[in-house]
Amino acid sequence: MKFDALFRYCPVCGSPEFKPGNIKSMRCSQCGFVMYVNPSAAVAALILNKRDELLICIRANDPEKGKWDLPGGFVDEHETAEQAIQREIVEELGMKVDAGKYLFTIPNEYLYSGWTLPTLDIFFLFQVEDDFIPVPADDVKDCYFVPLNQIDIEKFGFVSMQKALRMFLLNR
Ligand SMILES: [Zn+2]
Protein backbone atom coordinates (compact mmCIF):
# COMPACT_ATOMS: atom_id res chain seq x y z
CA MET A 1 0.00 0.00 0.00
CA LYS A 2 1.25 3.48 -0.85
CA PHE A 3 1.94 5.88 1.99
CA ASP A 4 -1.05 8.12 1.23
CA ALA A 5 -3.45 5.20 1.79
CA LEU A 6 -1.49 3.70 4.70
CA PHE A 7 -0.86 6.72 6.95
CA ARG A 8 -4.09 7.94 8.57
CA TYR A 9 -2.91 10.22 11.37
CA CYS A 10 -0.42 13.02 11.63
CA PRO A 11 2.78 11.55 13.19
CA VAL A 12 3.39 14.86 15.01
CA CYS A 13 0.03 15.83 16.54
CA GLY A 14 -2.08 12.70 15.93
CA SER A 15 -4.78 14.55 13.99
CA PRO A 16 -6.80 12.59 11.40
CA GLU A 17 -6.62 15.72 9.22
CA PHE A 18 -3.48 14.30 7.60
CA LYS A 19 -4.17 14.23 3.87
CA PRO A 20 -2.25 13.84 0.60
CA GLY A 21 -0.61 17.11 -0.42
CA ASN A 22 0.77 16.09 -3.78
CA ILE A 23 1.89 12.79 -5.30
CA LYS A 24 4.79 12.49 -2.84
CA SER A 25 3.68 14.34 0.26
CA MET A 26 1.09 14.49 3.02
CA ARG A 27 0.11 17.54 5.02
CA CYS A 28 -1.59 18.00 8.39
CA SER A 29 -4.12 20.83 8.36
CA GLN A 30 -4.14 20.89 12.18
CA CYS A 31 -0.45 21.52 12.93
CA GLY A 32 0.94 22.23 9.45
CA PHE A 33 3.39 19.31 9.41
CA VAL A 34 4.36 18.24 5.88
CA MET A 35 5.87 14.82 5.20
CA TYR A 36 7.58 13.91 1.92
CA VAL A 37 8.11 10.32 0.81
CA ASN A 38 10.99 10.26 -1.66
CA PRO A 39 12.60 7.06 -2.95
CA SER A 40 15.04 5.36 -0.59
CA ALA A 41 18.46 4.60 -2.03
CA ALA A 42 19.36 0.93 -2.33
CA VAL A 43 22.36 -0.87 -3.85
CA ALA A 44 22.79 -4.18 -5.66
CA ALA A 45 25.81 -6.08 -6.97
CA LEU A 46 26.35 -8.09 -10.12
CA ILE A 47 29.28 -10.27 -9.11
CA LEU A 48 30.94 -12.07 -12.01
CA ASN A 49 33.72 -14.62 -11.81
CA LYS A 50 36.33 -15.42 -14.45
CA ARG A 51 34.10 -18.12 -15.98
CA ASP A 52 31.34 -15.59 -16.78
CA GLU A 53 29.15 -16.85 -13.98
CA LEU A 54 26.91 -14.52 -11.97
CA LEU A 55 26.46 -14.84 -8.22
CA ILE A 56 22.79 -15.49 -7.41
CA CYS A 57 21.39 -15.17 -3.89
CA ILE A 58 18.25 -16.82 -2.51
CA ARG A 59 16.25 -14.48 -0.28
CA ALA A 60 15.80 -15.74 3.30
CA ASN A 61 13.06 -13.26 4.22
CA ASP A 62 10.06 -11.42 2.86
CA PRO A 63 9.54 -9.57 0.65
CA GLU A 64 10.13 -12.07 -2.17
CA LYS A 65 11.33 -14.83 0.20
CA GLY A 66 12.82 -17.81 -1.68
CA LYS A 67 13.24 -15.88 -4.93
CA TRP A 68 16.48 -15.10 -6.71
CA ASP A 69 18.15 -11.84 -5.73
CA LEU A 70 21.39 -9.96 -6.08
CA PRO A 71 23.48 -9.08 -3.02
CA GLY A 72 22.62 -5.64 -1.70
CA GLY A 73 20.39 -3.59 0.53
CA PHE A 74 19.49 -0.11 1.66
CA VAL A 75 22.04 2.69 1.91
CA ASP A 76 22.52 3.84 5.51
CA GLU A 77 22.45 7.45 6.65
CA HIS A 78 25.77 9.26 5.96
CA GLU A 79 26.99 6.38 3.79
CA THR A 80 27.94 6.51 0.10
CA ALA A 81 26.44 3.99 -2.31
CA GLU A 82 29.97 2.67 -2.90
CA GLN A 83 30.43 2.06 0.84
CA ALA A 84 26.95 0.56 1.14
CA ILE A 85 27.45 -2.13 -1.50
CA GLN A 86 30.83 -3.13 -0.08
CA ARG A 87 29.31 -3.32 3.43
CA GLU A 88 26.38 -5.41 2.18
CA ILE A 89 28.71 -7.85 0.42
CA VAL A 90 30.62 -8.36 3.68
CA GLU A 91 27.39 -8.78 5.68
CA GLU A 92 25.64 -11.10 3.23
CA LEU A 93 28.54 -13.06 1.73
CA GLY A 94 31.34 -12.79 4.28
CA MET A 95 33.70 -11.48 1.58
CA LYS A 96 35.56 -8.21 1.05
CA VAL A 97 35.67 -6.85 -2.48
CA ASP A 98 37.54 -4.08 -4.25
CA ALA A 99 35.54 -1.12 -5.52
CA GLY A 100 32.89 -2.02 -8.05
CA LYS A 101 32.00 -0.33 -11.32
CA TYR A 102 28.83 1.80 -11.40
CA LEU A 103 26.37 0.47 -13.99
CA PHE A 104 22.94 2.17 -13.81
CA THR A 105 19.94 2.87 -11.58
CA ILE A 106 16.43 1.42 -11.76
CA PRO A 107 13.36 2.46 -9.73
CA ASN A 108 11.81 -0.29 -7.61
CA GLU A 109 9.10 -0.87 -5.00
CA TYR A 110 9.79 -2.61 -1.71
CA LEU A 111 6.73 -3.98 0.09
CA TYR A 112 7.36 -4.39 3.81
CA SER A 113 4.98 -4.15 6.78
CA GLY A 114 2.18 -3.30 4.41
CA TRP A 115 4.03 -0.26 3.08
CA THR A 116 5.05 -0.12 -0.58
CA LEU A 117 8.22 1.93 -0.28
CA PRO A 118 9.61 3.52 -3.45
CA THR A 119 13.32 2.84 -3.89
CA LEU A 120 16.02 3.76 -6.37
CA ASP A 121 18.25 0.72 -6.87
CA ILE A 122 21.87 1.50 -7.78
CA PHE A 123 23.68 -1.33 -9.56
CA PHE A 124 27.42 -2.06 -9.43
CA LEU A 125 29.51 -4.65 -11.26
CA PHE A 126 32.23 -6.59 -9.46
CA GLN A 127 34.74 -8.90 -11.17
CA VAL A 128 36.04 -11.49 -8.74
CA GLU A 129 38.71 -14.14 -8.77
CA ASP A 130 38.13 -17.86 -8.43
CA ASP A 131 39.02 -17.70 -4.74
CA PHE A 132 35.82 -15.72 -4.12
CA ILE A 133 33.93 -18.28 -2.04
CA PRO A 134 30.91 -16.60 -0.44
CA VAL A 135 29.37 -17.76 2.83
CA PRO A 136 25.69 -16.74 2.85
CA ALA A 137 24.52 -14.87 5.95
CA ASP A 138 22.12 -12.18 7.10
CA ASP A 139 19.06 -12.18 4.81
CA VAL A 140 20.66 -14.49 2.22
CA LYS A 141 19.58 -18.14 2.57
CA ASP A 142 21.90 -19.53 -0.08
CA CYS A 143 24.05 -18.31 -2.95
CA TYR A 144 25.82 -19.82 -5.92
CA PHE A 145 27.32 -18.91 -9.29
CA VAL A 146 25.16 -19.47 -12.38
CA PRO A 147 26.53 -19.26 -15.96
CA LEU A 148 25.23 -16.10 -17.66
CA ASN A 149 23.61 -18.14 -20.44
CA GLN A 150 21.59 -20.04 -17.83
CA ILE A 151 20.20 -17.02 -15.99
CA ASP A 152 16.42 -17.35 -15.63
CA ILE A 153 15.31 -13.74 -15.27
CA GLU A 154 11.80 -14.73 -14.16
CA LYS A 155 13.25 -16.29 -11.00
CA PHE A 156 14.22 -12.87 -9.66
CA GLY A 157 11.66 -11.57 -7.17
CA PHE A 158 12.09 -7.85 -7.75
CA VAL A 159 11.14 -6.18 -11.02
CA SER A 160 14.22 -3.94 -10.79
CA MET A 161 16.48 -7.02 -10.66
CA GLN A 162 14.78 -8.49 -13.72
CA LYS A 163 15.23 -5.20 -15.60
CA ALA A 164 18.85 -4.95 -14.48
CA LEU A 165 19.67 -8.43 -15.77
CA ARG A 166 17.95 -7.72 -19.10
CA MET A 167 19.93 -4.47 -19.50
CA PHE A 168 23.17 -6.07 -18.43
CA LEU A 169 22.84 -9.12 -20.69
CA LEU A 170 21.75 -6.98 -23.68
CA ASN A 171 24.71 -4.64 -23.40
CA ARG A 172 27.45 -7.21 -22.98
ZN1 LIG B 1 -0.40 17.43 12.84
Side-chain angles (χ1 to χ4, degrees):
M1 196 180 290
K2 302 269 187 183
F3 69 94
D4 53 357
L6 187 65
F7 299 159
R8 294 182 294 157
Y9 300 95
C10 173
V12 174
C13 76
S15 166
E17 296 304 314
F18 190 55
K19 306 290 183 194
N22 59 30
I23 193 170
K24 57 183 180 180
S25 75
M26 293 186 75
R27 185 178 185 281
C28 175
S29 59
Q30 285 295 312
C31 73
F33 176 70
V34 179
M35 184 187 76
Y36 275 84
V37 176
N38 292 304
S40 295
V43 288
L46 287 104
I47 299 178
L48 279 183
N49 67 15
K50 298 285 181 191
R51 294 184 295 275
D52 260 359
E53 296 170 330
L54 178 73
L55 188 73
I56 298 295
C57 296
I58 307 298
R59 294 184 60 80
N61 303 313
D62 277 326
E64 306 295 350
K65 182 178 175 180
K67 297 284 184 65
W68 277 16
D69 199 8
L70 297 173
F74 285 100
V75 178
D76 286 343
E77 198 175 6
H78 306 306
E79 188 177 49
T80 68
E82 291 85 346
Q83 291 166 336
I85 191 58
Q86 288 185 307
R87 172 182 53 75
E88 288 286 348
I89 290 170
V90 169
E91 289 175 4
E92 296 186 341
L93 306 173
M95 296 291 290
K96 281 195 169 172
V97 287
D98 294 332
K101 179 189 168 207
Y102 167 81
L103 290 177
F104 42 67
T105 65
I106 301 178
N108 195 27
E109 288 184 335
Y110 192 88
L111 174 61
Y112 189 72
S113 285
W115 183 7
T116 304
L117 180 74
T119 72
L120 183 65
D121 295 354
I122 307 163
F123 291 84
F124 292 90
L125 175 66
F126 294 87
Q127 298 274 357
V128 296
E129 302 293 330
D130 288 343
D131 59 359
F132 186 90
I133 301 168
V135 180
D138 201 24
D139 57 351
V140 175
K141 184 177 172 218
D142 196 9
C143 63
Y144 40 80
F145 281 98
V146 174
L148 281 179
N149 60 11
Q150 292 174 29
I151 294 292
D152 184 352
I153 288 175
E154 300 299 321
K155 287 186 178 177
F156 282 93
F158 291 114
V159 169
S160 65
M161 302 292 161
Q162 297 182 0
K163 287 182 181 170
L165 263 298
R166 283 196 191 96
M167 283 170 65
F168 178 71
L169 294 172
L170 261 180
N171 293 310
R172 292 195 88 238

